[in-house]
Amino acid sequence: MQDTSTSTAPASHTRTGRPVISASGLFTPEESISNEELVESFNAYVDRYNAANAEAIEAGEVEALQHSSVGFIEKASGIKARHVMSKAPIVDPAIMAPRLEERANDELSIMAEIGVAAARDALERAGRDPADVDAVLCAASNMQRPYPAMAIEIQQALGIEGFAFDMNVACSSATFGIQTAADYIRAGNAKSVLVVSPEITSGHLNWCDRDSHFIFGDVATAVLVEDAAFAPESHWEILSTKLKTVFSNNIRNNFGFLNRAHPESEGSADKLFVQEGRKVFKEVVPMVAQMIIDEAGRLQMDPATLRRLWLHQANAGMNRLISQKVLGHEASDDESPTVLDTYGNTSSAGSIIAFHLHSDDLVDGDTGLICSFGAGYSAGTVFVRKVG
Ligand code: COA
């Protein structure tokens, strides 16, 4: 096991900037699929598949597919619905995948479009003129293309000078992006950095796989990380950021530019999201809980005093266990809010949506934790304190 953790605060070197979160932004797709709709289309797909393969199933050459169930999905994950960019083809039993029209090179690409919408929301909330932003990081678990970077397209659409680049740390992309942005501030290389996480996860999900067809949804978030000296009066002081990675094959996607197999060709299932959900659950919960407790200790903070946990939104049971270990009691919805019921798992955007939708009521001096975890394995913590 390799621990590649990094910690940047309190830093021992001279700081030229003190990073804060000035604002966050959210784009939510209009369309949503309820568990009932999802299971109805999945079960229709299963019936078609089993009918088409009846002889081979009868002969024992092909395994019959099994129906999915609304009750299982909600109990196992806490998910009741998910927003998507392209509903009709996903719930069409003959397609079972999003179909997003290709756009010309001179049109804004779809991932940039939703990233820009979330970024504009964050900029408006901070009262920030895009011309004053120095850098854009597009931090997400899937990029629409290898290059030019999505971040540079977003940068251009917003009219930002400076520089931009993409980064991918799966479900932890946003917190890794926040630390990267905070480090630019700490080092004095930037005073305002946008971390944008457009997650069109419906594209990497195997909607025909009973074990995982219910997991993901689409969304985009943005976080504006700035130097305290430059930020609006009301903001979130970043007390510390900490990252950790430990290699694991338990969440994996083998899609890449070296394996351009036809989607229906044999052996193509692993070119989409696959996971050993039970192992992930067992291995990630203790790792993340310990990481939070250790970091709180380093900050000389009792983790039980954290006013709110904005945890990664993958599974309600995982979040229950993590917050129990961190707070020492079962967390209320107020202490550890969930957005799983309406958004599903939105990969790196999940903890940011929770933060965005459930932070307005915190008051000056309240502390909280944004925490992500997922494939890699990867995990990131961002301890914050409300100012103003
Ligand atoms: N409908 C009905 N039954 C289903 C089903 C479905 N859609 N999918 C699986 N089942 C069945 C299985 O066949 C199994 O039946 P069996 O006990 O008769 O063999 C049973 O339900 C339990 O399956 P299991 O996969 O062990 O469920 P689970 O309780 O572990 O829940 C996850 C599955 C994926 C929701 C859960 O493990 C999880 O969320 N893990 C963490 C994943 C995570 O965070 N990943 C990060 C992704 S970024």
Side-chain angles (χ1 to χ4, degrees):
M1 261 206 334
Q2 192 188 2
D3 178 349
T4 50
S5 61
T6 61
S7 176
T8 56
S12 53
H13 62 274
T14 312
R15 287 188 208 154
T16 46
R18 207 160 47 77
V20 307
I21 293 176
S22 291
S24 56
L26 176 65
F27 165 83
T28 302
E30 272 172 30
E31 293 184 324
S32 167
I33 305 175
S34 68
N35 283 345
E36 288 73 15
E37 291 172 297
L38 184 76
V39 166
E40 190 186 329
S41 78
F42 180 88
N43 290 349
Y45 158 77
V46 165
D47 293 342
R48 288 162 75 118
Y49 178 93
N50 288 346
N53 293 283
E55 272 179 35
I57 291 170
E58 184 71 24
E61 291 155 10
V62 168
E63 216 170 298
L65 297 182
Q66 289 175 270
H67 279 181
S68 182
S69 100
V70 171
F72 170 83
I73 294 171
E74 195 177 330
K75 189 158 167 280
S77 69
I79 298 166
K80 296 181 187 164
R82 67 288 294 143
H83 289 274
V84 289
M85 296 298 292
S86 165
K87 176 173 175 174
I90 291 174
V91 293
D92 181 341
I95 303 176
M96 304 287 280
R99 289 279 181 266
L100 297 161
E101 219 170 288
E102 286 223 16
R103 296 182 180 183
N105 286 357
D106 60 0
E107 291 177 276
L108 191 65
S109 50
I110 189 153
M111 208 176 141
E113 180 182 301
I114 67 170
V116 165
R120 283 197 201 288
D121 187 21
L123 291 168
E124 265 168 39
R125 284 166 195 269
R128 175 70 56 232
D129 182 340
D132 290 330
V133 176
D134 304 307
V136 178
L137 312 185
C138 181
S141 54
N142 296 282
M143 295 299 158
Q144 185 172 345
R145 56 167 187 263
Y147 46 82
M150 299 309 307
I152 302 176
E153 193 180 359
I154 294 168
Q155 173 197 359
Q156 194 223 27
L158 291 169
I160 291 171
E161 288 183 27
F163 66 95
F165 61 90
D166 293 345
M167 49 189 293
N168 173 355
V169 202
C171 287
S172 293
S173 299
T175 53
F176 276 59
I178 291 172
Q179 169 158 321
T180 306
D183 284 346
Y184 282 128
I185 309 289
R186 289 169 179 135
N189 286 325
K191 61 186 184 318
S192 177
V193 183
L194 253 179
V195 181
V196 186
S197 300
E199 290 284 10
I200 307 185
T201 59
S202 56
H204 81 172
L205 182 56
N206 184 348
W207 295 89
C208 300
D209 174 41
R210 178 174 176 259
D211 286 352
S212 64
H213 76 112
F214 53 87
I215 290 181
F216 286 104
D218 301 336
V219 81
T221 55
V223 177
L224 187 63
V225 180
E226 303 194 304
D227 186 347
F230 182 65
E233 229 166 85
S234 172
H235 57 249
W236 297 86
E237 183 185 356
I238 296 179
L239 300 174
S240 96
T241 56
K242 187 169 176 76
L243 313 177
K244 182 179 174 78
T245 50
V246 180
F247 186 72
S248 168
N249 278 322
N250 288 333
I251 315 170
R252 190 162 172 130
N253 182 341
N254 279 334
F255 177 78
F257 77 105
L258 297 179
N259 55 29
R260 295 177 299 161
H262 188 274
E264 275 157 25
S265 66
E266 206 171 326
S268 65
D270 74 340
K271 309 302 181 295
L272 293 165
F273 168 90
V274 286
Q275 74 166 350
E276 297 276 354
R278 277 279 159 103
K279 287 188 188 160
V280 174
F281 202 115
K282 264 201 205 135
E283 292 169 10
V284 170
V285 167
M287 180 180 104
V288 170
Q290 198 54 51
M291 186 178 167
I292 296 169
I293 290 164
D294 290 349
E295 188 60 3
R298 212 178 59 80
L299 289 167
Q300 297 179 329
M301 175 194 286
D302 175 357
T305 63
L306 283 163
R307 174 69 185 80
R308 191 158 291 160
L309 309 177
W310 299 283
L311 298 180
H312 175 50
Q313 303 285 313
N315 178 288
M318 269 175 119
N319 286 5
R320 237 186 334 268
L321 279 175
I322 291 171
S323 43
Q324 163 95 44
K325 283 178 198 275
V326 170
L327 300 176
H329 61 262
E330 181 152 344
S332 64
D333 286 349
D334 183 62
E335 290 169 312
S336 175
T338 185
V339 300
L340 271 170
D341 49 349
T342 48
Y343 283 89
N345 180 343
T346 49
S347 195
S348 70
S351 57
I352 307 300
I353 307 174
F355 172 72
H356 182 82
L357 295 178
H358 300 282
S359 54
D360 279 354
D361 57 321
L362 267 61
V363 298
D364 189 62
D366 279 346
T367 52
L369 167 72
I370 301 171
C371 177
S372 68
F373 39 89
Y377 296 133
S378 58
T381 60
V382 181
F383 282 78
V384 292
R385 181 191 290 129
K386 182 75 194 284
V387 174

